[in-house]
Amino acid sequence: MKAEPLVFDGTAFNSVSVVDTLVSARGTGRRWSTQKPLAFWRVFAEMDLSSSFNVEMFAGRYGDPTGALPGQSYLPSWRKVQELLQVPATAWDPVDDRGISHVTVDTTRITLSKSFGISHRAEGELTIWDVNPVIDLKTYNTFHRARSLDAFMLFSAYRQLRDRTPMRRCVECGHWFDASHARARFCSNACNIKASLRRKGEI
Ligand SMILES: [Zn+2]
């Protein structure tokens, strides 16, 4: 099955600091983009949000999920997104002896893990649908575009749950990534390069 693209253009912040849950970022940020779901939503689901280090790392690498930047407390809005993402995360089993985390075969757990989004939609809080279907008028192919980082993470979780995407932790940074390609060991090219520099003793 050819996967439908999920397009997202993000803005990460290279210099983020957190003081008393107030986040501030210097500069206009660094643009990044993807055309497929990414598994880092699970990093966010598992993260200790009270740690400034974690928040700085996440915003520095992926951006601000909820637009709390700059100068507001990130905690209430980030926590809400985290609570949403913790629901689909329950579908994945702990890593097996090959280091891969698979979606469970337990149908009850699957059903529960799929309930994210629905209740929040009813409460009018849903940002997951901040994702639009788009038609490429040259090729007539369709794809989805996420408009915000929280929507991108939620939609990635939904897709990866639907596709039962196996996950692995990057050997360099520890972040989850799609392990459909069994030999992949890094979440990104950047981590691959970092690890090879480390092997050569250059960093
Ligand atoms: Zn990595």
Side-chain angles (χ1 to χ4, degrees):
M1 189 183 80
K2 192 168 168 287
E4 319 99 272
L6 170 59
V7 174
F8 178 63
D9 297 308
T11 305
F13 298 93
N14 288 322
S15 77
V16 180
S17 57
V18 179
V19 179
D20 294 336
T21 86
L22 298 182
V23 192
S24 55
R26 275 196 302 277
T28 48
R30 174 175 50 81
R31 306 288 293 169
W32 64 276
S33 59
T34 179
Q35 302 204 339
K36 60 180 186 194
L38 295 174
F40 69 77
W41 63 268
R42 203 172 157 196
V43 175
F44 191 79
E46 293 170 353
M47 208 166 98
D48 174 7
L49 290 183
S50 64
S51 147
S52 319
F53 175 82
N54 287 341
V55 171
E56 289 169 7
M57 174 279 295
F58 194 88
R61 192 157 167 194
Y62 306 112
D64 171 16
T66 61
L69 291 168
Q72 292 174 36
S73 172
Y74 68 87
L75 261 182
S77 58
W78 284 37
R79 213 158 248 160
K80 199 178 270 180
V81 177
Q82 184 180 55
E83 281 165 12
L84 279 172
L85 289 170
Q86 282 169 344
V87 181
T90 60
W92 274 264
D93 281 333
V95 292
D96 63 15
D97 50 8
R98 292 177 307 141
I100 296 182
S101 168
H102 291 278
V103 169
T104 179
V105 288
D106 178 339
T107 49
T108 313
R109 247 175 75 202
I110 295 262
T111 306
L112 286 172
S113 73
K114 282 181 173 167
S115 67
F116 77 109
I118 298 160
S119 59
H120 286 265
R121 188 183 195 190
E123 289 164 31
E125 293 177 10
L126 192 74
T127 50
I128 187 173
W129 306 121
D130 197 8
V131 173
N132 303 117
V134 182
I135 300 172
D136 179 334
L137 289 175
K138 285 195 187 105
T139 59
Y140 272 39
N141 290 330
T142 55
F143 62 93
H144 283 90
R145 180 186 292 282
R147 303 275 170 198
S148 56
L149 183 57
D150 53 350
F152 173 71
M153 290 196 290
L154 286 156
F155 209 71
S156 289
Y158 146 73
R159 277 281 182 79
Q160 293 185 324
L161 185 53
R162 183 196 68 182
D163 299 343
R164 307 182 60 86
T165 304
M167 293 184 191
R168 179 190 280 284
R169 284 187 188 278
C170 172
V171 296
E172 178 64 25
C173 71
H175 287 196
W176 291 109
F177 69 96
D178 178 344
S180 303
H181 298 288
R183 283 201 298 276
R185 293 293 179 270
F186 300 100
C187 71
S188 60
N189 214 16
C191 278
N192 196 350
I193 292 168
K194 227 175 177 180
S196 91
L197 290 175
R198 195 187 304 285
R199 277 194 302 274
K200 293 180 199 152
E202 287 174 24
I203 50 172

